[in-house]
Amino acid sequence: MRQAADGWFLDQPVPSHVEGLETNGKFCMPHSDGTVSITVNGEHKRVSAGLSLAGLATELGLVPEKIAVERNMEVVPRSTLADVMVEDGDDLEIVHFVGGGDNEDSWTVAGQTFKSRLIVGTGKYKDFAQNAAAVEASGAEIVTVAVRRVNVSDRNAPMLTDFIDPKKITYLPNTAGCFDAESAIRTLRLAREAGGWELVKLEVLGEAKTLYPDMVETLRATEILANEGFKPMVYCVDDPIATKRLENAGAVAIMPLGAPIGSGLGIQNRVTIRLIVEGAGVPVLVDAGVGTASDAAVAMELGCDGVLMNTAIAEAKDPLMMAAAMKAAVESGRLAYRAGRMGQRRYADPSSPLAGLI
């Protein structure tokens, strides 16, 4: 390898003073955190530099002997998967055989796999019956639940579990209304004691007007909860640096706000959401700000793994119809992302050929 004014050529050995990896005769410079950026089955990921394709398969929970890999449009012989190294910028397709074809597009968080990419809340509905009907219409498999004191004055008061069966729908206890790390941690410790939940949603707010997250307290709570065995999905600002710190602290999912909670303004900064998606090694879900179906579709088109919403459905004129609309929007946005949108151009490009015009 030799140095030119604008970079390195690959015809000579790598100089000893250059930090990087030489894989398959090609020089690969990892990111500062020792990772490389790749695309796997349409999903952007960052993985450890120096990983073989077989090692990547193992990290993804796959058996190398039972898969086929296409790397940058070329099929890699299965016998060489352990020898071919993952390189920055690789575009990988990994397939296996399934009975009768498989169109399922699931996602996984903390070892649990779900088909629906829509998570809904359980507040602001007229009653629990309407809430349960909206959950069914949305197709959601996860609902967020607030942890509140038991109504000891009325033991016959209805409970959410009477309407939404926690054996069929995954409950995600959250810390809505907590303004410091201590109260959030206490709340989730009680939630685990009450229902055994370790997968939780952490939300530490900074102040009541904007309901923006306090990132100092959020990061501190994430570290403590992760050390205690919790698997926190964390509500946060749309800052790719802050989200990476949360991931390193033990967050199993990153949940940046699209806009202030309950505002219905839609995603206000698509650029930062996309940056978070590209840099994350855990699922990314837009949390807060969705107002209508098109907002949910935008989040999915940006490559998010899912969307969490409550007010957009609960305060719609017809919550059940809106729940169905949100289900369709999340699914269509996800399909559009997987399909890959056309490139954007500054000028017109006719659909019909101009040659042969009369």
Side-chain angles (χ1 to χ4, degrees):
M1 173 177 278
R2 57 192 172 84
Q3 187 174 18
D6 58 351
W8 297 89
F9 294 107
L10 305 178
D11 57 356
Q12 294 183 17
V14 180
S16 59
H17 68 278
V18 177
E19 294 183 358
L21 300 170
E22 186 177 2
T23 59
N24 306 325
K26 179 180 177 181
F27 187 70
C28 172
M29 180 68 74
H31 298 291
S32 59
D33 61 355
T35 63
V36 293
S37 297
I38 63 173
T39 302
V40 181
N41 292 354
E43 297 279 354
H44 292 280
K45 294 182 178 294
R46 291 179 73 163
V47 299
S48 299
L51 198 63
S52 69
L53 290 177
L56 173 65
T58 301
E59 280 201 1
L60 295 174
L62 304 172
V63 180
E65 294 78 12
K66 297 182 179 181
I67 61 171
V69 180
E70 178 190 77
R71 176 172 174 263
N72 303 326
M73 305 297 290
E74 294 186 4
V75 175
V76 180
R78 186 182 297 165
S79 60
T80 66
L81 292 181
D83 302 318
V84 178
M85 311 306 289
V86 176
E87 298 174 357
D88 193 60
D90 274 350
D91 189 352
L92 305 174
E93 292 289 337
I94 303 178
V95 302
H96 66 151
F97 291 112
V98 295
D102 187 2
N103 293 320
E104 182 179 305
D105 177 36
S106 59
W107 68 289
T108 301
V109 59
Q112 298 185 51
T113 300
F114 302 93
K115 294 179 182 179
S116 173
R117 293 174 178 269
L118 175 58
I119 301 175
V120 298
T122 53
K124 301 185 177 181
Y125 289 93
K126 180 179 67 175
D127 51 38
F128 288 146
Q130 185 186 64
N131 192 170
V135 171
E136 183 175 0
S138 74
E141 297 172 287
I142 306 175
V143 296
T144 59
V145 292
V147 181
R148 295 292 184 266
R149 292 187 175 106
V150 173
N151 186 349
V152 294
S153 62
D154 184 2
R155 297 183 181 181
N156 295 319
M159 298 180 66
L160 182 66
T161 52
D162 297 329
F163 294 84
I164 300 176
D165 188 350
K167 294 180 180 178
K168 297 178 180 179
I169 301 294
T170 297
Y171 275 35
L172 185 66
N174 70 17
T175 57
C178 293
F179 288 85
D180 57 73
E182 282 71 22
S183 60
I185 293 167
R186 285 180 59 206
T187 297
L188 293 178
R189 285 171 178 165
L190 284 168
R192 180 161 64 180
E193 186 64 27
W197 293 291
E198 292 185 341
L199 182 64
V200 296
K201 184 195 169 194
L202 174 63
E203 182 177 308
V204 184
L205 305 175
E207 47 89 35
K209 182 178 180 180
T210 63
L211 299 181
Y212 258 57
D214 182 329
M215 292 308 298
V216 173
E217 291 292 280
T218 298
L219 180 60
R220 187 160 68 90
T222 300
E223 292 174 337
I224 294 172
L225 290 168
N227 287 334
E228 292 185 6
F230 285 94
K231 299 171 183 177
M233 300 173 67
V234 185
Y235 167 66
C236 57
V237 294
D238 57 339
D239 175 354
I241 304 303
T243 57
K244 201 63 186 177
R245 287 175 177 164
L246 289 173
E247 184 179 336
N248 293 336
V252 299
I254 300 299
M255 307 183 76
L257 52 78
I261 291 174
S263 67
L265 291 171
I267 297 176
Q268 294 298 292
N269 197 333
R270 301 183 186 188
V271 174
T272 53
I273 296 295
R274 182 61 198 166
L275 289 172
I276 291 170
V277 169
E278 290 182 357
V282 296
V284 177
L285 301 92
V286 163
D287 177 9
V290 170
T292 190
S294 58
D295 299 331
V298 167
M300 299 308 298
E301 288 172 1
L302 289 172
C304 292
D305 295 278
V307 183
L308 187 154
M309 65 184 71
N310 183 75
T311 307
I313 296 176
E315 291 191 356
K317 293 181 179 179
D318 187 330
L320 304 191
M321 188 179 294
M322 184 60 79
M326 291 299 187
K327 176 183 179 181
V330 168
E331 291 174 351
S332 63
R334 175 63 180 172
L335 282 174
Y337 173 72
R338 294 178 66 194
R341 65 157 293 149
M342 63 168 283
Q344 294 177 309
R345 306 182 180 97
R346 295 180 60 190
Y347 304 103
D349 183 22
S351 301
S352 302
L354 297 179
L357 286 175
I358 298 173

PDB file of all heavy atoms in Angstrom, residues 219-237:
ATOM      1  N   LEU A 219     -29.480   8.669  31.351  1.00  0.00           N
ATOM      2  CA  LEU A 219     -28.275   7.849  31.206  1.00  0.00           C
ATOM      3  C   LEU A 219     -27.923   7.176  32.527  1.00  0.00           C
ATOM      4  O   LEU A 219     -27.575   5.977  32.560  1.00  0.00           O
ATOM      5  CB  LEU A 219     -27.111   8.717  30.714  1.00  0.00           C
ATOM      6  CG  LEU A 219     -25.768   7.999  30.511  1.00  0.00           C
ATOM      7  CD1 LEU A 219     -25.900   6.891  29.471  1.00  0.00           C
ATOM      8  CD2 LEU A 219     -24.689   9.004  30.088  1.00  0.00           C
ATOM      9  N   ARG A 220     -28.037   7.917  33.624  1.00  0.00           N
ATOM     10  CA  ARG A 220     -27.717   7.348  34.935  1.00  0.00           C
ATOM     11  C   ARG A 220     -28.669   6.200  35.278  1.00  0.00           C
ATOM     12  O   ARG A 220     -28.243   5.137  35.746  1.00  0.00           O
ATOM     13  CB  ARG A 220     -27.790   8.450  36.009  1.00  0.00           C
ATOM     14  CG  ARG A 220     -27.302   8.015  37.390  1.00  0.00           C
ATOM     15  CD  ARG A 220     -26.938   9.232  38.222  1.00  0.00           C
ATOM     16  NE  ARG A 220     -28.111  10.015  38.567  1.00  0.00           N
ATOM     17  CZ  ARG A 220     -28.839   9.806  39.678  1.00  0.00           C
ATOM     18  NH1 ARG A 220     -28.508   8.819  40.507  1.00  0.00           N
ATOM     19  NH2 ARG A 220     -29.876  10.568  39.959  1.00  0.00           N
ATOM     20  N   ALA A 221     -29.960   6.401  35.014  1.00  0.00           N
ATOM     21  CA  ALA A 221     -30.935   5.350  35.298  1.00  0.00           C
ATOM     22  C   ALA A 221     -30.708   4.131  34.414  1.00  0.00           C
ATOM     23  O   ALA A 221     -30.850   2.989  34.864  1.00  0.00           O
ATOM     24  CB  ALA A 221     -32.348   5.899  35.094  1.00  0.00           C
ATOM     25  N   THR A 222     -30.343   4.356  33.160  1.00  0.00           N
ATOM     26  CA  THR A 222     -30.077   3.243  32.240  1.00  0.00           C
ATOM     27  C   THR A 222     -28.951   2.361  32.760  1.00  0.00           C
ATOM     28  O   THR A 222     -29.055   1.124  32.762  1.00  0.00           O
ATOM     29  CB  THR A 222     -29.720   3.781  30.839  1.00  0.00           C
ATOM     30  OG1 THR A 222     -30.805   4.556  30.330  1.00  0.00           O
ATOM     31  CG2 THR A 222     -29.429   2.637  29.874  1.00  0.00           C
ATOM     32  N   GLU A 223     -27.872   2.973  33.197  1.00  0.00           N
ATOM     33  CA  GLU A 223     -26.722   2.214  33.703  1.00  0.00           C
ATOM     34  C   GLU A 223     -27.113   1.382  34.922  1.00  0.00           C
ATOM     35  O   GLU A 223     -26.766   0.203  35.017  1.00  0.00           O
ATOM     36  CB  GLU A 223     -25.582   3.177  34.050  1.00  0.00           C
ATOM     37  CG  GLU A 223     -24.961   3.852  32.837  1.00  0.00           C
ATOM     38  CD  GLU A 223     -23.946   4.908  33.234  1.00  0.00           C
ATOM     39  OE1 GLU A 223     -24.032   5.424  34.370  1.00  0.00           O
ATOM     40  OE2 GLU A 223     -23.077   5.234  32.402  1.00  0.00           O
ATOM     41  N   ILE A 224     -27.839   1.991  35.850  1.00  0.00           N
ATOM     42  CA  ILE A 224     -28.209   1.283  37.079  1.00  0.00           C
ATOM     43  C   ILE A 224     -29.164   0.135  36.772  1.00  0.00           C
ATOM     44  O   ILE A 224     -28.989  -0.992  37.248  1.00  0.00           O
ATOM     45  CB  ILE A 224     -28.842   2.264  38.085  1.00  0.00           C
ATOM     46  CG1 ILE A 224     -27.794   3.284  38.557  1.00  0.00           C
ATOM     47  CG2 ILE A 224     -29.437   1.515  39.285  1.00  0.00           C
ATOM     48  CD1 ILE A 224     -28.359   4.411  39.401  1.00  0.00           C
ATOM     49  N   LEU A 225     -30.169   0.404  35.957  1.00  0.00           N
ATOM     50  CA  LEU A 225     -31.152  -0.633  35.635  1.00  0.00           C
ATOM     51  C   LEU A 225     -30.521  -1.794  34.873  1.00  0.00           C
ATOM     52  O   LEU A 225     -30.819  -2.962  35.139  1.00  0.00           O
ATOM     53  CB  LEU A 225     -32.296  -0.023  34.817  1.00  0.00           C
ATOM     54  CG  LEU A 225     -33.214   0.926  35.583  1.00  0.00           C
ATOM     55  CD1 LEU A 225     -34.105   1.694  34.621  1.00  0.00           C
ATOM     56  CD2 LEU A 225     -34.056   0.164  36.607  1.00  0.00           C
ATOM     57  N   ALA A 226     -29.654  -1.481  33.928  1.00  0.00           N
ATOM     58  CA  ALA A 226     -28.982  -2.542  33.164  1.00  0.00           C
ATOM     59  C   ALA A 226     -28.132  -3.409  34.082  1.00  0.00           C
ATOM     60  O   ALA A 226     -28.091  -4.640  33.942  1.00  0.00           O
ATOM     61  CB  ALA A 226     -28.135  -1.940  32.051  1.00  0.00           C
ATOM     62  N   ASN A 227     -27.475  -2.788  35.040  1.00  0.00           N
ATOM     63  CA  ASN A 227     -26.647  -3.548  35.995  1.00  0.00           C
ATOM     64  C   ASN A 227     -27.493  -4.423  36.912  1.00  0.00           C
ATOM     65  O   ASN A 227     -27.001  -5.410  37.456  1.00  0.00           O
ATOM     66  CB  ASN A 227     -25.797  -2.588  36.831  1.00  0.00           C
ATOM     67  CG  ASN A 227     -24.650  -1.990  36.040  1.00  0.00           C
ATOM     68  OD1 ASN A 227     -24.182  -2.586  35.069  1.00  0.00           O
ATOM     69  ND2 ASN A 227     -24.198  -0.817  36.432  1.00  0.00           N
ATOM     70  N   GLU A 228     -28.772  -4.065  37.072  1.00  0.00           N
ATOM     71  CA  GLU A 228     -29.669  -4.856  37.914  1.00  0.00           C
ATOM     72  C   GLU A 228     -30.429  -5.920  37.123  1.00  0.00           C
ATOM     73  O   GLU A 228     -31.315  -6.571  37.654  1.00  0.00           O
ATOM     74  CB  GLU A 228     -30.661  -3.934  38.626  1.00  0.00           C
ATOM     75  CG  GLU A 228     -30.008  -3.039  39.669  1.00  0.00           C
ATOM     76  CD  GLU A 228     -31.029  -2.217  40.453  1.00  0.00           C
ATOM     77  OE1 GLU A 228     -32.246  -2.433  40.267  1.00  0.00           O
ATOM     78  OE2 GLU A 228     -30.605  -1.362  41.256  1.00  0.00           O
ATOM     79  N   GLY A 229     -30.080  -6.058  35.852  1.00  0.00           N
ATOM     80  CA  GLY A 229     -30.701  -7.105  35.044  1.00  0.00           C
ATOM     81  C   GLY A 229     -31.909  -6.671  34.238  1.00  0.00           C
ATOM     82  O   GLY A 229     -32.519  -7.495  33.541  1.00  0.00           O
ATOM     83  N   PHE A 230     -32.281  -5.399  34.311  1.00  0.00           N
ATOM     84  CA  PHE A 230     -33.374  -4.905  33.486  1.00  0.00           C
ATOM     85  C   PHE A 230     -32.910  -4.780  32.029  1.00  0.00           C
ATOM     86  O   PHE A 230     -31.709  -4.670  31.740  1.00  0.00           O
ATOM     87  CB  PHE A 230     -33.840  -3.531  33.981  1.00  0.00           C
ATOM     88  CG  PHE A 230     -34.653  -3.567  35.241  1.00  0.00           C
ATOM     89  CD1 PHE A 230     -34.048  -3.386  36.482  1.00  0.00           C
ATOM     90  CD2 PHE A 230     -36.030  -3.782  35.184  1.00  0.00           C
ATOM     91  CE1 PHE A 230     -34.796  -3.419  37.642  1.00  0.00           C
ATOM     92  CE2 PHE A 230     -36.791  -3.812  36.345  1.00  0.00           C
ATOM     93  CZ  PHE A 230     -36.172  -3.636  37.584  1.00  0.00           C
ATOM     94  N   LYS A 231     -33.893  -4.770  31.142  1.00  0.00           N
ATOM     95  CA  LYS A 231     -33.623  -4.570  29.718  1.00  0.00           C
ATOM     96  C   LYS A 231     -34.389  -3.320  29.281  1.00  0.00           C
ATOM     97  O   LYS A 231     -35.516  -3.408  28.786  1.00  0.00           O
ATOM     98  CB  LYS A 231     -34.053  -5.801  28.923  1.00  0.00           C
ATOM     99  CG  LYS A 231     -33.295  -7.060  29.352  1.00  0.00           C
ATOM    100  CD  LYS A 231     -33.875  -8.309  28.724  1.00  0.00           C
ATOM    101  CE  LYS A 231     -33.138  -9.551  29.220  1.00  0.00           C
ATOM    102  NZ  LYS A 231     -33.722 -10.806  28.673  1.00  0.00           N
ATOM    103  N   PRO A 232     -33.780  -2.160  29.458  1.00  0.00           N
ATOM    104  CA  PRO A 232     -34.524  -0.912  29.231  1.00  0.00           C
ATOM    105  C   PRO A 232     -34.575  -0.468  27.774  1.00  0.00           C
ATOM    106  O   PRO A 232     -33.564  -0.420  27.078  1.00  0.00           O
ATOM    107  CB  PRO A 232     -33.738   0.106  30.074  1.00  0.00           C
ATOM    108  CG  PRO A 232     -32.346  -0.441  30.127  1.00  0.00           C
ATOM    109  CD  PRO A 232     -32.465  -1.928  30.070  1.00  0.00           C
ATOM    110  N   MET A 233     -35.790  -0.187  27.311  1.00  0.00           N
ATOM    111  CA  MET A 233     -36.011   0.505  26.055  1.00  0.00           C
ATOM    112  C   MET A 233     -36.154   1.976  26.442  1.00  0.00           C
ATOM    113  O   MET A 233     -37.030   2.325  27.229  1.00  0.00           O
ATOM    114  CB  MET A 233     -37.268  -0.029  25.369  1.00  0.00           C
ATOM    115  CG  MET A 233     -37.186  -1.515  25.047  1.00  0.00           C
ATOM    116  SD  MET A 233     -38.749  -2.222  24.426  1.00  0.00           S
ATOM    117  CE  MET A 233     -38.905  -1.396  22.829  1.00  0.00           C
ATOM    118  N   VAL A 234     -35.321   2.846  25.885  1.00  0.00           N
ATOM    119  CA  VAL A 234     -35.133   4.165  26.489  1.00  0.00           C
ATOM    120  C   VAL A 234     -35.628   5.309  25.605  1.00  0.00           C
ATOM    121  O   VAL A 234     -35.186   5.470  24.457  1.00  0.00           O
ATOM    122  CB  VAL A 234     -33.649   4.389  26.835  1.00  0.00           C
ATOM    123  CG1 VAL A 234     -33.472   5.705  27.586  1.00  0.00           C
ATOM    124  CG2 VAL A 234     -33.116   3.232  27.680  1.00  0.00           C
ATOM    125  N   TYR A 235     -36.546   6.094  26.159  1.00  0.00           N
ATOM    126  CA  TYR A 235     -37.031   7.334  25.537  1.00  0.00           C
ATOM    127  C   TYR A 235     -35.943   8.389  25.644  1.00  0.00           C
ATOM    128  O   TYR A 235     -35.365   8.598  26.717  1.00  0.00           O
ATOM    129  CB  TYR A 235     -38.299   7.792  26.258  1.00  0.00           C
ATOM    130  CG  TYR A 235     -38.766   9.194  25.957  1.00  0.00           C
ATOM    131  CD1 TYR A 235     -39.227   9.534  24.692  1.00  0.00           C
ATOM    132  CD2 TYR A 235     -38.781  10.167  26.951  1.00  0.00           C
ATOM    133  CE1 TYR A 235     -39.689  10.816  24.426  1.00  0.00           C
ATOM    134  CE2 TYR A 235     -39.247  11.454  26.698  1.00  0.00           C
ATOM    135  CZ  TYR A 235     -39.691  11.774  25.436  1.00  0.00           C
ATOM    136  OH  TYR A 235     -40.144  13.040  25.172  1.00  0.00           O
ATOM    137  N   CYS A 236     -35.656   9.077  24.522  1.00  0.00           N
ATOM    138  CA  CYS A 236     -34.509   9.985  24.524  1.00  0.00           C
ATOM    139  C   CYS A 236     -34.675  11.082  23.468  1.00  0.00           C
ATOM    140  O   CYS A 236     -35.609  11.065  22.668  1.00  0.00           O
ATOM    141  CB  CYS A 236     -33.220   9.205  24.264  1.00  0.00           C
ATOM    142  SG  CYS A 236     -33.255   8.274  22.702  1.00  0.00           S
ATOM    143  N   VAL A 237     -33.740  12.022  23.479  1.00  0.00           N
ATOM    144  CA  VAL A 237     -33.707  13.061  22.454  1.00  0.00           C
ATOM    145  C   VAL A 237     -33.199  12.460  21.147  1.00  0.00           C
ATOM    146  O   VAL A 237     -32.581  11.393  21.131  1.00  0.00           O
ATOM    147  CB  VAL A 237     -32.802  14.237  22.880  1.00  0.00           C
ATOM    148  CG1 VAL A 237     -33.375  14.952  24.083  1.00  0.00           C
ATOM    149  CG2 VAL A 237     -31.381  13.755  23.178  1.00  0.00           C
TER     150      VAL A 237
END
